[in-house]
Amino acid sequence: LQQLLGPLLSQVFSGQSSPTLRTVLAGKPSTIVEPNSSLQNVGEMMGEARKAALVVDKGNLVGIFGFKDMMTRAVARELPLNLTAVSTVMTPNPESVSPDTTVLEALQIMHDNKFLTLPVCEVNGSVVGIVDVMDCVYASGGADGWRSIFASAMECDDLTDTASVHSNRSGSVQHSVKSTRSTHKKSNMPVSKLRPKAPMVSSSNDTVLSVAQMLASKRGDAAIITDLNGGLAGIITDTDVTRRVVAKNLPASSTCVADVMTANPSCVAMADPATDALVTMVENRFRHLPVTDDNGAVVGVLDIAKCLNDAISKLERSTDKSSNAAEEALKASFGGAGGAQAAALQQLLGPLLSQVFSGQSSPTLRTVLAGKPSTIVEPNSSLQNVGEMMGEARKAALVVDKGNLVGIFGFKDM
């Protein structure tokens, strides 16, 4: 991430390679609540700020409560929101990071731990706020910066589109939803490469409660809503349930999903360029985006968090492959292949070494060995004496006779 986004961020932020979370959170509304706060009050605050709630007791962070928690743990279970304390349904003792953490470091932490949100606390435990994955994306170059990330990920050799969104995984549907949106010309790197998740489908006649219960049972966070003819009518997410139902004090059991869904949502075709689809999601802050097949039927849903995780994982694997290639080049150079492999290593490591060693592309072995203890022994030296010298220096022994190297004796030999 630093390699790809660092130069861009350095330009945008006057020399800083990445802004800190303290900068990102400056002026943002707080969503700090007490453990005994009612879910109704918490939902109203979350809906206003569009952020998960941080549960704080006596100045210390004790829990977190997000939009999916509200939908699955409260609405789907028909809990009385005015009478239920957030402490009874929150996720206790969440991990947090320092406000001096950079946005790229935060993204890496989210990626490594599969977090969508990240509480931010001072060293003394005082709560600063909370960031989500989209906050970090916007603060690390936005759509322009991430276009290069997505494009690089699309070019990785390990991309595959063999996984089908028609598979009967948990939460998938075996029928497709008709869409009136037209399809586009195929790209070499189409949306299908992103392996969209199979859609979870409900009818526009369903109540918010039934949709929430369906999503909770399938561990989903967004539902495609169909009209009476089976066509795409809209989409509803866990965030919508909090903002448009809970925060408005509407009864989930009698509110029709058609009244609170996002009607006629934007969608992309499986054949559309994958990078353009992802940039569209970032630009418009879309967490979910319906995907159609060649016949205009909705057969998948893109989740920006999953796409970001996949993109970073692909880049990491690509970096690992480059590292392995460098190792193979080094091995080959000992077999006489020499120049080309050394050039490959120089290309990979040269810029880093140039920074570390003040402009030198690579230090010499003379520099590396300066001041290091010698393990030179004579041919008739006893193994006992040789072993003591090796143990002290933590190096293999070099056997020298009349100034000439005649042998080597290592730890495995011993």
Side-chain angles (χ1 to χ4, degrees):
L1 283 176
Q2 182 63 43
Q3 182 180 3
L4 286 163
L5 289 178
L8 173 66
L9 295 176
S10 184
Q11 293 179 7
V12 175
F13 295 101
S14 304
Q16 292 184 26
S17 60
S18 177
T20 65
L21 298 186
R22 192 186 303 279
T23 304
V24 173
L25 288 171
K28 295 291 177 67
S30 169
T31 51
I32 295 175
V33 300
E34 297 180 349
N36 60 357
S37 300
S38 72
L39 290 182
Q40 183 61 47
N41 290 339
V42 171
E44 292 171 3
M45 181 180 290
M46 291 168 61
E48 178 70 21
R50 299 192 179 194
K51 295 291 180 186
L54 297 173
V55 186
V56 176
D57 187 21
K58 298 176 182 178
N60 296 315
L61 179 66
V62 296
I64 188 173
F65 186 72
F67 294 104
K68 191 171 184 179
D69 301 326
M70 179 69 82
M71 182 182 71
T72 61
R73 300 177 186 177
V75 174
R77 295 179 183 177
E78 299 184 77
L79 297 181
L81 302 183
N82 280 313
L83 302 176
T84 304
V86 67
S87 60
T88 62
V89 288
M90 70 183 184
T91 299
N93 305 315
E95 294 187 34
S96 64
V97 296
S98 163
D100 297 321
T101 302
T102 68
V103 291
L104 292 187
E105 290 170 340
L107 274 172
Q108 193 67 52
I109 292 170
M110 291 182 183
H111 166 67
D112 292 343
N113 295 278
K114 300 295 185 290
F115 294 155
L116 294 177
T117 56
L118 204 54
V120 182
C121 299
E122 298 283 6
V123 177
N124 63 7
S126 61
V127 178
V128 177
I130 187 170
V131 294
D132 58 37
V133 65
M134 293 306 289
D135 291 328
C136 293
V137 167
Y138 266 85
S140 57
D144 290 337
W146 281 86
R147 181 180 293 276
S148 64
I149 292 287
F150 295 140
S152 297
M154 291 297 98
E155 293 170 1
C156 291
D157 292 336
D158 61 317
L159 278 169
T160 175
D161 59 356
T162 55
S164 170
V165 297
H166 296 288
S167 62
N168 193 22
R169 295 171 293 184
S170 173
S172 67
V173 293
Q174 295 182 353
H175 63 280
S176 59
V177 181
K178 297 177 183 177
S179 170
T180 57
R181 303 301 175 99
S182 62
T183 58
H184 300 75
K185 293 181 180 180
K186 289 189 176 181
S187 165
N188 289 334
M189 293 294 179
V191 167
S192 60
K193 290 282 189 180
L194 301 174
R195 294 175 293 176
K197 296 189 294 187
M200 300 180 188
V201 181
S202 291
S203 168
S204 56
N205 288 333
D206 289 338
T207 64
V208 171
L209 175 60
S210 65
V211 175
Q213 290 174 335
M214 181 273 292
L215 289 173
S217 67
K218 297 178 179 179
R219 299 183 178 181
D221 49 21
I224 296 296
I225 309 301
T226 62
D227 58 26
L228 297 179
N229 297 320
L232 175 64
I235 186 172
I236 188 169
T237 68
D238 51 2
T239 305
D240 298 330
V241 171
T242 296
R243 293 184 55 238
R244 301 175 182 174
V245 181
V246 175
K248 302 299 183 183
N249 210 10
L250 297 177
S253 59
S254 58
T255 298
C256 183
V257 70
D259 295 332
V260 292
M261 70 183 184
T262 298
N264 303 314
S266 299
C267 54
V268 294
M270 277 286 196
D272 284 342
T275 301
D276 290 350
L278 292 170
V279 170
T280 295
M281 296 180 77
V282 172
E283 287 178 336
N284 296 280
R285 285 187 176 266
F286 292 157
R287 169 76 193 282
H288 303 89
L289 191 62
V291 180
T292 65
D293 63 10
D294 291 338
N295 298 316
V298 177
V299 292
V301 176
L302 287 178
D303 183 326
I304 190 62
K306 175 183 177 295
C307 292
L308 289 172
N309 274 327
D310 289 349
I312 296 173
S313 294
K314 287 178 175 69
L315 292 171
E316 285 179 337
R317 288 195 291 270
S318 177
T319 301
D320 289 341
K321 287 182 179 179
S322 296
S323 298
N324 291 338
E327 183 177 350
E328 290 303 316
L330 185 61
K331 291 179 180 177
S333 70
F334 281 105
Q341 287 78 9
L345 281 174
Q346 179 63 35
Q347 183 177 6
L348 286 166
L349 295 178
L352 173 64
L353 294 174
S354 181
Q355 291 179 9
V356 175
F357 294 101
S358 304
Q360 293 184 26
S361 60
S362 178
T364 65
L365 298 187
R366 189 185 306 279
T367 304
V368 172
L369 290 172
K372 296 292 176 67
S374 170
T375 51
I376 296 176
V377 299
E378 297 179 350
N380 59 358
S381 299
S382 72
L383 291 182
Q384 182 63 44
N385 290 339
V386 171
E388 291 171 1
M389 181 181 290
M390 291 168 61
E392 177 69 21
R394 299 192 179 189
K395 295 290 181 184
L398 297 174
V399 186
V400 175
D401 186 21
K402 298 177 183 178
N404 296 317
L405 178 68
V406 295
I408 186 171
F409 186 73
F411 294 102
K412 191 172 182 180
D413 303 324
M414 179 67 83

